[in-house]
Amino acid sequence: MAEHLCSLSELDEGDSWLFTVREADGSEEEVVLVRTDDCVRAWLNYCQHETDQRLDRGFGAAMRDGEIVCPKHGSMYDACSGYCDNGKAAESTLVSVDVETRDGDVVLTDDDRTFLHEGAIEADDLPGSSSHLTF
């Protein structure tokens, strides 16, 4: 069953939107939804080089030229394919979450995940960033 996430009009090109899902095993994961001029995609919210490094730390993922930038290492992931060809995460791909656009809305279509709420996981023990970089 598809679950409404947001209106496409709420997500401008080059923007991201953070939300939390429940995985099939009962755990919670953060997901970052991104829009470029070529695609709308969703990815689990962590760098493949260091899985405790969040791509969106609560104020939007850094995006540059259609790529998601890791705020710690600077590795850049293609926002449409999730593939990284540079930096410490080179030759890796982000973990995708199935979404579609329907009638001007973005919907979660991933059978293994259930939408919980907009924003980050509400817990005190989330990994933080050791980076001081912002974009």
Side-chain angles (χ1 to χ4, degrees):
M1 179 177 144
E3 296 179 77
H4 177 269
L5 296 173
C6 66
S7 295
L8 192 56
S9 62
E10 296 174 57
L11 190 65
D12 292 330
E13 181 184 328
D15 277 352
S16 65
W17 190 73
L18 184 65
F19 64 99
T20 299
V21 296
R22 182 169 320 283
E23 297 282 336
D25 66 4
S27 64
E28 293 182 5
E29 288 285 347
E30 290 179 2
V31 178
V32 61
L33 177 70
V34 296
R35 180 180 183 182
T36 70
D37 59 347
D38 295 323
C39 68
V40 174
R41 296 285 191 270
W43 309 101
L44 290 184
N45 187 30
Y46 59 84
C47 179
Q48 293 298 296
H49 172 65
E50 280 186 27
T51 58
D52 66 342
Q53 177 58 48
R54 295 162 55 203
L55 298 169
D56 181 337
R57 297 176 287 164
F59 46 88
M63 301 275 297
R64 184 179 296 139
D65 298 326
E67 295 183 305
I68 304 166
V69 183
C70 174
K72 184 172 182 182
H73 305 105
S75 293
M76 298 174 72
Y77 296 90
D78 181 275
C80 295
S81 70
Y83 181 73
C84 178
D85 65 359
N86 62 70
K88 294 187 177 205
E91 307 302 321
S92 67
T93 303
L94 296 173
V95 178
S96 66
V97 174
D98 296 336
V99 296
E100 293 179 8
T101 56
R102 295 183 185 169
D103 299 322
D105 291 324
V106 182
V107 294
L108 177 67
T109 57
D110 198 309
D111 292 335
D112 296 325
R113 297 177 171 99
T114 305
F115 176 77
L116 292 178
H117 57 81
E118 180 178 352
I121 295 171
E122 297 172 0
D124 293 333
D125 59 348
L126 280 177
S129 171
S130 60
S131 173
H132 64 282
L133 298 176
T134 57
F135 294 87

